[in-house]
Amino acid sequence: MIRPDRIVALLLIAFSIGYGLLAWNYALLPFEEQMPFKPNTMPVGLAIAGIILAVAVLIFPGGHRGLSSDADGWRRFDWISTGAIFLLMVLYALTLRPLGYVLSTTLFLVLGAIVLGERRFTVLIPVAAITAYGTWYLVQQVLGVFLRPWPELLI
Amino acid sequence: MLEGILQGLTTALSFYNLLMVVIGCLIGTFIGMLPGLGPMSIIAIMIPVAIQLGNPAAALIMLAGVYYGAIFGGSTSSILINAPGVAGTVATSFDGYPMARQGKAGKALTIAAIASFCGGTVGAVLLFGFAPALSSVAILFWSSEYFALMVLGMTAVAAFAGRDQVLKALLMTIVGVMLATVGESALHNAPRFTLGLMDLQSGIYFVTLVMGLFALPEALFLILRRGKGVVESDKLMKIENLRISKAEAKQMAPVIGRQSIAGFLIGVLPGAGATIASFLGYAMERNIAPAGDRKQFGKGSIKGLAAPETANNAACTGSFVPLLTLGIPGSGTTAILLGALIALNVSPGPGLMTDRPEVFWSVIISMYVGNLVLLMLNLPLIPYIARLLAVPRNYLVPFVLFFALIGSYIGQNNPTELLIMIGLGIVATIFRFTGFPLPPLIIGFILGGMMEDNLGRAIRRSGGIEFLWERPMTLALLILALILLIAPYLLDKLKIRERLMSN
């Protein structure tokens, strides 16, 4: 099976080529074409360096394979909870405005802890609610950054 | 210069800034203690707060306090539960944990605190001398030298990434510079590589990138590895008797003296930070110790604990030299600090000492104050702070994730920023899984914009790339970068040849 770091190197070759194409096709303004240093001069150079280095990693990936070398470890990792937490983070980002900061944060903290196995709701819910309200108070009242606290419908 | 020092002293010793040091040290210790959360994530989480403070001196003073606190917190978890929160304190656990198992946890913590204090203090004194000297040399630098210096900084970080990882580290640096070119640049006002997205018009927000690359994967790894290395409250060592004897102090003294200077010098080198300093310090002390003492290393040796602790704190201070004088970060952590400074409209570099003496000197002075705070405030509080180690992960992880997410959100007030951050988090997790180091990426990102500006200016000035070989200092810096990259390979080859010859 192909080593995971080689797959990443392949993806980075694709990324560098894509970046290079965008840089090469960058629409220069007429006066920019005469300049010794154009807006795409360094990006084109970077794309070339990126492709060369990514090909080099593909050919000589080295001995250090990160955690991917621990084949058994992969299976013992808790992928389901991690995936669920990722989904929760996306949901949090999407509900932050419609539900308001306090409600969406409380939900994120409570659901996050439930996913990780917490079942003492009498402790969990108050802790989450106090944290959500407390941080809102700190951010808006002390730091002066506006955060909509309650759902859009209520305001 | 004396006027600047006085100005810095007044700024650093104002009540507000002293409070910032104390808050920074406490927060750093609290979070740094949590296994898996390094100083980079903690500083990243604190950056939005620091930016909101509005005052660059106060912000940097607080962040430097967080940095020190995180290293101290990392030592605490290394000693008490053998789970270093920070790579720089791994060597601390070699002798710190055995000492704690012998019932000397309090003593081990005191030794660590005193060694850190001395290392940090000597480092701060050396910084006092080094920084102005380097600043006066750096004033002679033109944009071409700055470009070369940035290339040197980036290659040094890649070269120190580990022999097997140099290519990967270089590639990550290039990816970082590529990400820095997204959006408008200082030289060119038209946006580039935004793919038509308005949210990318002003580039990738630095806090989002740092959170996505460091805080998010570290918290996710805590979930992934659940059941592995989880701390139960009953495993936590009891902390009693923080006092050390005169004989023990005598044993520590020469180690502290040597390692403060060695650690500081290693910290000044770009790329070699607290981690390398602590391992080298440990190895050096073990090698020069008398045979009887050497046997104690790894079994709870006082010298073995004092050496890495002194060296890592001195190196932390040393790493501020290139940051403050040249504006070049020598490590991932100082790169994040540089990003915070730029966000606060302060450009570190040779001009900082003359243009903003209150920032320059107050940061240096507050480092000393920070070390004092750690010794006088955190050490007595440590038995209480350590209880945080017993907080269940079920609570801890969602809270850490929440702070990372909200840190990025309050900077831009835009939920799309959170989605970008989650995407970056996934990519960073894959990179970590496959052994691609992330600090070079952040250094590339932070230095990328400045590198393009300096390169552009140098090319416009000389009408081409002749400056690369026509200016001796530029050429020397670039050659040094090349040597740093190829030296480990050449040394390897020489060793293999020697081995073959002797066989």
Side-chain angles (χ1 to χ4, degrees), chain A residues 76-78 81 115-117, chain B residues 221-230 393-394:
Chain A
R76 272 185 278 137
F77 281 137
D78 191 349
S81 305
V115 165
L116 297 179
Chain B
F221 269 86
L222 289 179
I223 311 174
L224 275 172
R225 288 173 158 165
R226 278 202 309 165
K228 294 180 178 183
V230 174
R393 296 282 164 93
N394 303 347

Side-chain angles (χ1 to χ4, degrees), chain B residues 193-208:
Chain B
F193 311 109
T194 57
L195 306 170
L197 295 171
M198 280 300 283
D199 292 309
L200 291 178
Q201 192 90 5
S202 51
I204 296 170
Y205 181 42
F206 143 78
V207 176
T208 306

Side-chain angles (χ1 to χ4, degrees), chain A residues 5 19 39 68 78 97 116, chain B residues 168 181 192 221 226 413 433:
Chain A
D5 48 356
Y19 177 89
S68 62
D78 191 349
R97 283 229 170 119
L116 297 179
Chain B
K168 284 178 178 173
T181 58
R192 297 174 295 176
F221 269 86
R226 278 202 309 165
N413 222 334
F433 255 117

Side-chain angles (χ1 to χ4, degrees), chain B residues 376-427:
Chain B
M376 292 174 67
L377 194 72
N378 283 19
L379 187 61
L381 287 179
I382 212 73
Y384 308 99
I385 299 176
R387 288 188 187 158
L388 188 71
L389 288 170
V391 170
R393 296 282 164 93
N394 303 347
Y395 278 93
L396 215 57
V397 174
F399 279 77
V400 170
L401 284 172
F402 156 67
F403 282 115
L405 288 165
I406 215 60
S408 164
Y409 182 72
I410 59 171
Q412 303 277 300
N413 222 334
N414 181 3
T416 317
E417 209 65 41
L418 296 189
L419 295 175
I420 295 175
M421 178 182 156
I422 296 166
L424 287 169
I426 296 175
V427 175

Side-chain angles (χ1 to χ4, degrees), chain B residues 89-111:
Chain B
T89 61
V90 170
T92 305
S93 64
F94 295 167
D95 282 285
Y97 185 61
M99 271 185 92
R101 290 194 65 169
Q102 293 158 14
K104 296 184 211 158
K107 203 171 271 226
L109 283 168
T110 308
I111 292 170

Side-chain angles (χ1 to χ4, degrees), chain B residues 51-74:
Chain B
I51 291 173
Q52 291 301 325
L53 289 176
N55 175 352
L60 197 60
I61 284 173
M62 188 186 76
L63 291 176
V66 170
Y67 187 16
Y68 282 114
I71 299 277
F72 184 70

